[in-house]
Amino acid sequence: MRLTPVCLIAACLLSSAVFTEAAAAPSEERAVIDTFQAFLNGLGHRDKAAMSATLVPGGSATFIRNGKPVQLTFDVMTDKLSQPGTEIREERTRDVLVRIDGDIAVLWAPFEFYLAGKIDHCGTDVATFAKSEGRWLISFIGDNHRTECKAH
């Protein structure tokens, strides 16, 4: 099969458009991941202001605990997560997937939660995002929770 010059030019333009669109996506995906990581850093430091800075006011969370959903407003969630404590907390995500359509995004990330340097629990985080004034903010967080975990 022979390609005519017009077909070759069309193919080049099409592949260029696809490449340009794909090239823009990683920076937006990185911005979504960075917002979620900023939330996790605030959680680790028990810093309500740092967590709240990443959240859409009025958003909510649903956590599966003992097989049942527990729903919290972001205000209640950040109050609970910012309670004083001495144990070092760190949540590590891996194999993060992000999907973006315009000004909404979804993040899916398996995680391990470390307490005092040891895995306390693991599961999967799911978060939705809304882009507002050029910034990605978390509009919903959900996770499940299990104690049988392998370190990655």
Side-chain angles (χ1 to χ4, degrees):
M1 179 171 140
R2 263 183 66 156
L3 292 177
T4 65
V6 172
C7 289
L8 282 173
I9 290 169
C12 287
L13 289 174
L14 181 59
S15 66
S16 172
V18 170
F19 176 75
T20 302
E21 185 176 61
S27 65
E28 286 296 298
E29 288 177 12
R30 183 79 252 159
V32 167
I33 293 167
D34 288 348
T35 298
F36 196 69
Q37 187 59 52
F39 171 80
L40 295 178
N41 292 345
L43 180 156
H45 291 103
R46 295 176 168 82
D47 185 338
K48 181 175 177 148
M51 287 182 282
S52 296
T54 67
L55 304 172
V56 170
S60 67
T62 300
F63 303 122
I64 305 300
R65 299 296 182 263
N66 301 315
K68 296 184 182 189
V70 176
Q71 295 184 292
L72 307 167
T73 65
F74 279 165
D75 285 337
V76 171
M77 177 190 71
T78 55
D79 281 346
K80 288 180 177 285
L81 295 175
S82 61
Q83 292 299 307
T86 57
E87 292 182 300
I88 297 171
R89 302 185 302 183
E90 180 186 14
E91 184 164 317
R92 298 179 193 167
T93 59
R94 59 184 163 75
D95 304 324
V96 178
L97 298 174
V98 175
R99 295 293 181 261
I100 298 172
D101 182 16
D103 54 6
I104 62 169
V106 176
L107 174 142
W108 172 283
F111 72 88
E112 289 82 32
F113 188 89
Y114 290 78
L115 196 57
K118 295 181 181 178
I119 293 179
D120 180 70
H121 64 276
C122 60
T124 299
D125 287 321
V126 176
T128 60
F129 295 76
K131 194 170 191 181
S132 176
E133 298 177 2
R135 290 183 54 226
W136 287 105
L137 296 173
I138 301 166
S139 56
F140 167 82
I141 297 174
D143 80 19
N144 55 13
H145 183 280
R146 53 185 173 273
T147 54
E148 294 181 23
C149 309
K150 294 185 249 175
H152 285 9

